[in-house]
């Protein structure tokens, strides 16, 4: 009779959104409970010698729940869960059902996205990579769950929405990268949005946080630019000589080259634009880092 270990190998683990029953295919996940402990070393306790001078007490402290989920950008996952939850509905909690081994199952209650990151890099030869997607989660608590995994369809001709989007279906556009004669090409880009999330602990007889709140949205990005005639120095959206603001857009298409989603940053502030020496057989590129800004009526980033 065949034997199967009850605690399976990694591919038997799974995550799903409880409200929608949507499965989240992941590359890695480290959602955990961090048990709070308080260690003290400030009690005078009558040690008789140097060898006995060690801490003598500890107490239970505040717990924290959360971690990172790493996957690829897939249209079904983005449209079905993350597009709204990552930004527009960032203050709306959701519950995630998590099983690292297919046996132990927990529900992470009142989860919030604390940050998310998209990254895409063109290869130097055949092949390449899909668009990376990672997001960080903070939860108010977790409980043992009896939920089971939902069905998940493998990538196939009839289910391309569950296929990772490759790098070449993305583009970045910003007029502040260009000069009158040169429009550089983007060889890689990344976008990070942080919510500056914080937890509020109160004197209520519980070790778990009472609330999780979202803070100020910070938008940051990076890209690598190349052109055989050299890459000009980038400029901010608004300069003393130009009062027509440049906006930055990142577009991701799906099968059939149909635009699927667009990230728009209305104002860009360049924070770094290094152009280091290259090796003897390497192209000279410029790495640009930037911050996204908004105004009284326009957020620093919008997703459509």
């Amino acid at each position: 009779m065949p034997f199967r270990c009850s605690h399976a190998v990694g591919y038997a683990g799974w995550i799903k959104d409880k409200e929608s029953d949507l499965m989240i295919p992941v590359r890695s996940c480290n959602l955990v409970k961090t048990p709070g402990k308080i260690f003290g070393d400030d009690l005078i306790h009558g040690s008789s010698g140097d060898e006995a001078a060690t801490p003598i007490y500890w107490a239970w402290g505040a717990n924290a729940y959360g971690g990172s989920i790493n996957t690829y950008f897939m249209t079904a996952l983005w449209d079905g869960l993350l597009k709204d939850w990552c930004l527009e509905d960032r203050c709306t909690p959701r519950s995630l059902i998590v099983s690292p081994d297919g046996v132990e199952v927990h529900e992470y209650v009142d989860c919030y996205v604390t940050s998310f990151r998209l990254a895409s890099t063109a290869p130097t030869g055949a092949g390449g990579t899909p668009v990376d997607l990672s997001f960080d989660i903070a939860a108010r608590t977790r409980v043992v769950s009896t939920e089971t995994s939902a069905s998940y369809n493998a990538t196939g001709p009839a289910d391309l929405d569950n296929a990772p989007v490759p790098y070449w279906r993305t583009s970045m556009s910003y007029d502040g990268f260009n000069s009158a004669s040169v429009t550089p090409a983007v060889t890689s880009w990344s976008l990070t949005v942080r919510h500056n999330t914080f937890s509020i602990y109160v004197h209520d007889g519980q070790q778990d946080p009472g609330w999780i709140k979202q803070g100020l949205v910070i938008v940051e990005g990076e890209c690598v630019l190349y052109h055989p005639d050299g890459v000009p120095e980038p400029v901010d959206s608004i300069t003393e000589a130009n009062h027509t603001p440049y906006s930055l857009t990142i577009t991701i298409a799906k099968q059939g080259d149909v635009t699927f989603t667009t990230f728009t940053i209305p104002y860009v502030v360049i924070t770094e634009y290094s152009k280091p020496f290259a090796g003897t057989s390497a192209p000279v590129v410029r790495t640009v880092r930037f911050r996204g800004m908004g105004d009284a009526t326009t957020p620093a980033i919008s997703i459509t």
Side-chain angles (χ1 to χ4, degrees):
M1 179 177 181
F3 172 78
R4 183 177 186 270
C5 178
S6 60
H7 287 69
V9 294
Y11 56 73
W14 51 270
I15 305 175
K16 75 173 182 178
D17 174 58
K18 182 178 181 180
E19 285 80 2
S20 65
D21 216 36
L22 177 69
M23 294 290 286
I24 305 175
V26 299
R27 300 163 59 198
S28 65
C29 171
N30 63 356
L31 290 185
V32 293
K33 171 185 177 179
T34 303
K37 299 295 191 296
I38 302 171
F39 295 96
D41 57 4
D42 56 354
L43 284 185
I44 298 172
H45 49 81
S47 297
S48 59
D50 290 343
E51 293 80 6
T54 56
I56 65 166
Y57 80 91
W58 66 275
W60 287 275
N63 297 324
Y65 304 85
S68 300
I69 297 173
N70 299 305
T71 182
Y72 293 124
F73 187 97
M74 289 166 269
T75 58
L77 172 61
W78 182 255
D79 209 33
L81 174 63
L82 296 177
K83 178 181 177 181
D84 292 331
W85 191 31
C86 281
L87 190 64
E88 290 290 334
D89 295 340
R90 71 189 188 113
C91 295
T92 302
R94 304 183 72 93
S95 291
L96 297 180
I97 310 299
V98 181
S99 177
D101 55 6
V103 177
E104 180 182 290
V105 182
H106 285 104
E107 176 182 346
Y108 285 78
V109 181
D110 291 346
C111 295
Y112 296 81
V113 175
T114 65
S115 68
F116 69 93
R117 182 178 186 269
L118 294 163
S120 181
T121 301
T124 57
T129 59
V131 179
D132 284 326
L133 168 62
S134 60
F135 55 103
D136 297 324
I137 295 294
R140 190 178 57 78
T141 190
R142 81 173 186 185
V143 295
V144 174
S145 174
T146 57
E147 292 265 351
T148 58
S149 64
S151 60
Y152 178 76
N153 297 322
T155 299
D159 196 32
L160 289 177
D161 283 347
N162 282 324
V165 173
Y167 74 93
W168 52 270
R169 290 196 188 276
T170 75
S171 63
M172 172 184 280
S173 175
Y174 176 62
D175 285 344
F177 292 153
N178 308 333
S179 68
S181 59
V182 172
T183 300
V186 178
T187 63
S188 72
W189 61 265
S190 67
L191 176 68
T192 301
V193 177
R194 294 184 286 109
H195 295 300
N196 285 295
T197 311
F198 59 94
S199 298
I200 300 175
Y201 295 86
V202 295
H203 296 74
D204 62 352
Q206 304 292 325
Q207 293 175 261
D208 297 341
W211 294 275
I212 296 176
K213 307 295 287 184
Q214 299 284 42
L216 187 71
V217 176
I218 301 297
V219 179
E220 297 176 313
E222 178 180 310
C223 62
V224 176
L225 306 176
Y226 171 76
H227 194 277
D229 295 331
V231 178
E233 291 186 2
V235 298
D236 299 330
S237 287
I238 298 178
T239 67
E240 293 184 0
N242 175 29
H243 294 277
T244 303
Y246 300 136
S247 63
L248 184 147
T249 60
I250 296 173
T251 301
I252 299 178
K254 61 179 182 179
Q255 61 272 15
D257 290 328
V258 177
T259 297
F260 174 69
T261 194
T262 301
F263 302 84
T264 303
I265 300 173
Y267 307 103
V268 170
V269 178
I270 305 299
T271 58
E272 184 179 338
Y273 48 89
S274 62
K275 190 176 182 181
F277 281 63
T280 55
S281 298
V284 177
V285 298
R286 187 185 293 279
T287 300
V288 180
R289 295 183 175 89
F290 58 86
R291 287 280 294 266
M293 306 295 291
D295 58 28
T297 60
T298 307
I301 186 172
S302 61
I303 305 174
T304 56

